[in-house]
Amino acid sequence: MTATRSIDTVLATLPLIPPIWILLELVKNESEIKPDRPEAWTVESQLLAYVAVAVVGFLLTNNLVPNIKTYTLRKGLSGKDLGKKGTPCEDLDVPEALGIVPGAIFLICLIFCLVGYATSNPSKLLDCNSALLSICFMLFLGFTDDVLDWPWRYKLLLPSVATLPLLCCYKGSTSIVVPIQLRALLMQEGALTSFGRFLCCIITVDENANGAIINLGFLYLVYMGLLAVFCTNAINIYAGINGLEAGQSYVIGCAVLLHNMLEIRSHSASTENHLFSAMLMLSFVGVTMGLLRHNWFPALVFVGDTYCYFAGMTFAVVGILGHFSKTLLLFFIPQILNFLWSTPQLFKFVPCPRHRLPRMNVDTGCLEPSTFRCKGTQFRWLKFLNPGATEVANMTLINVCLQIFGPMKERTLCVVLLAFQVLCCGIGLFIRYYVAQFFFDK
């Protein structure tokens, strides 16, 4: 077990190495170029300060989770690990809603970070306060959901309300760049096409840019509101095994941080926005690492909806206020796939059990796809391998993984899914920095 833990610790540090490497490279280059520069509060020094705060956040989360879990157990906030049915751990009470610990510590870390950030970037103070308000609201909603078990209609509505502070203070562009290959659909020979004129009834096509830019206006704000709803719920439904919720959030956080570091290193026009995002992501990654140590297999605590909503809103905040919401979606490829495949069950076109997580095979000790019962003539489009079957696997990416690769131990399954997350985030960065140049102007 000790050797396995050591391997897991090494694996956990791998996604964090690239952004930290670039950060150290930035600090080294800055010290070599201007060793005697009198200004102390440079971008590099701010990043180092945020790293220090993130380390403190990790240590506090790591040490407080074991203490706080006794209080949640005392108040009955606990549950059974359904993935351990038939094992000696089946009847153990596992503390729930421990996502409140990293969430609260993150807010404290962020408040301390804002002291320095607001001094150097006073124009972003409104963004900072709206970010705090939205994340705090979702943390509260998640904790009350763990206690009161809100219906799904509230889970879809309230994240939209939580984004209002972000949208109200959003000062960025509401325009998007049209891919080069599609611009001929909007304008030809300096004039709008029929399709372009039709679109102008809803949105604004920039004729001065020859159809390269369209202004979505209010629709862009609607898109950002839906982004927040998606981020919070996408992590929540892509869950069910030890370490997956915190693990996927950690990997996405590292990918966002790497994107921020690359933009800061290139001295892009949006450096200030990416510095803001890096400030949030460093603290987020720190507290998530502290939680992941206790939520990893075998889980000593459950993160609950508290953490899922907190993590989702944090990503939505950096995507919206950092002005890279479209790039953010590239890091959510597994979550998008899981949502699309789950849609028939989520909207009740297909029977949807309360719990769709894999089931334990007591004889082998491995997880197998969970199923729902149906008639042999029903849902044949889901039974292409066995048309007469009376059981169909629940429609989640976790079950798809088990169907493709066969039964697995819970830890192995989580490692495979997180490796897929790392791969998809890598593909997202490749699309952003290499493939995009074939579709958009430099």
Side-chain angles (χ1 to χ4, degrees):
M1 182 64 71
T2 304
T4 302
R5 278 283 181 179
S6 300
I7 294 172
D8 291 340
T9 301
V10 172
L11 291 175
T13 58
L14 293 180
L16 193 56
I17 291 176
I20 295 299
W21 181 273
I22 295 177
L23 190 154
L24 295 176
E25 184 182 276
L26 283 170
V27 173
K28 179 183 177 183
N29 292 343
E30 189 67 19
S31 61
E32 289 177 352
I33 295 172
K34 296 182 179 180
D36 302 320
R37 189 168 61 179
E39 300 96 327
W41 206 236
T42 62
V43 169
E44 293 74 18
S45 59
Q46 288 184 70
L47 288 172
L48 286 178
Y50 302 150
V51 169
V53 173
V55 171
V56 173
F58 165 77
L59 294 174
L60 286 175
T61 304
N62 186 46
N63 287 298
L64 280 178
V65 166
N67 295 325
I68 301 300
K69 75 177 184 180
T70 59
Y71 292 93
T72 60
L73 281 172
R74 189 183 306 167
K75 294 298 182 180
L77 283 175
S78 61
K80 309 295 184 184
D81 194 336
L82 300 180
K84 305 292 190 301
K85 280 188 175 181
T87 70
C89 301
E90 177 181 6
D91 296 322
L92 292 179
D93 287 325
V94 182
E96 287 215 58
L98 265 297
I100 192 67
V101 177
I105 293 174
F106 172 83
L107 291 176
I108 295 171
C109 291
L110 188 55
I111 290 171
F112 278 102
C113 288
L114 290 183
V115 174
Y117 183 82
T119 303
S120 304
N121 306 274
S123 62
K124 299 286 286 185
L125 187 58
L126 183 60
D127 288 354
C128 297
N129 290 331
S130 65
L132 274 171
L133 182 58
S134 293
I135 295 172
C136 189
F137 183 90
M138 287 308 297
L139 187 65
F140 169 75
L141 172 63
F143 189 71
T144 56
D145 186 26
D146 283 327
V147 176
L148 303 176
D149 195 16
W150 293 109
W152 267 102
R153 58 181 177 273
Y154 297 129
K155 297 181 184 182
L156 293 176
L157 173 65
L158 291 177
S160 303
V161 177
T163 59
L164 290 180
L166 298 176
L167 302 182
C168 288
C169 75
Y170 180 76
K171 295 178 290 187
S173 172
T174 57
S175 299
I176 62 173
V177 180
V178 179
I180 296 172
Q181 293 79 1
L182 299 180
R183 292 173 190 174
L185 296 176
L186 303 178
M187 292 193 68
Q188 291 183 4
E189 298 180 355
L192 288 170
T193 63
S194 300
F195 181 66
R197 287 192 294 272
F198 169 75
L199 282 184
C200 283
C201 299
I202 310 170
I203 57 179
T204 302
V205 178
D206 190 344
E207 296 185 50
N208 294 326
N210 201 29
I213 297 174
I214 57 176
N215 186 356
L216 298 180
F218 179 74
L219 292 178
Y220 193 82
L221 300 179
V222 173
Y223 153 73
M224 290 190 291
L226 294 176
L227 175 69
V229 175
F230 170 76
C231 289
T232 51
N233 288 286
I235 295 175
N236 196 26
I237 65 174
Y238 186 39
I241 60 176
N242 293 173
L244 183 56
E245 298 99 317
Q248 64 181 292
S249 301
Y250 170 72
V251 173
I252 295 172
C254 291
V256 172
L257 195 54
L258 177 56
H259 174 57
N260 298 150
M261 293 297 109
L262 289 171
E263 292 296 311
I264 292 173
R265 185 177 65 175
S266 66
H267 302 289
S268 68
S270 56
T271 294
E272 185 179 290
N273 295 327
H274 286 281
L275 179 62
F276 171 79
S277 174
M279 176 183 67
L280 270 69
M281 281 295 100
L282 282 166
S283 292
F284 176 79
V285 168
V287 298
T288 298
M289 284 186 72
L291 178 64
L292 188 57
R293 291 192 73 249
H294 302 278
N295 181 240
W296 191 251
F297 179 87
L300 302 176
V301 300
F302 289 149
V303 300
D305 291 342
T306 307
Y307 178 80
C308 295
Y309 292 163
F310 151 64
M313 182 52 72
T314 303
F315 290 133
V317 164
V318 298
I320 292 172
L321 298 183
H323 305 291
F324 58 92
S325 58
K326 296 178 287 296
T327 301
L328 178 67
L329 286 175
L330 293 175
F331 303 141
F332 274 76
I333 293 175
Q335 288 72 23
I336 293 172
L337 294 175
N338 183 66
F339 172 74
L340 293 176
W341 182 238
S342 297
T343 297
Q345 283 193 307
L346 295 177
F347 291 95
K348 307 298 183 181
F349 299 123
V350 173
C352 183
R354 176 174 175 79
H355 297 292
R356 301 186 298 161
L357 64 159
R359 63 187 177 195
M360 167 68 75
N361 186 321
V362 182
D363 296 329
T364 62
C366 294
L367 294 178
E368 298 177 349
S370 60
T371 59
F372 65 88
R373 298 190 64 83
C374 64
K375 296 179 181 178
T377 56
Q378 291 181 306
F379 312 118
R380 288 184 175 178
W381 57 281
L382 290 174
K383 299 182 286 188
F384 50 89
L385 294 179
N386 189 4
T390 57
E391 288 190 358
V392 179
N394 283 308
M395 304 175 71
T396 68
L397 193 61
I398 301 174
N399 284 328
V400 169
C401 180
L402 291 171
Q403 288 175 290
I404 294 174
F405 298 106
M408 299 184 196
K409 301 286 186 181
E410 187 170 1
R411 173 190 169 276
T412 305
L413 176 60
C414 189
V415 170
V416 170
L417 292 172
L418 293 183
F420 180 63
Q421 184 77 56
V422 172
L423 175 64
C424 289
C425 287
I427 292 173
L429 287 168
F430 179 77
I431 293 173
R432 166 63 180 79
Y433 286 100
Y434 295 98
V435 178
Q437 63 184 333
F438 297 106
F439 298 91
F440 302 100
D441 301 315
K442 292 185 179 180

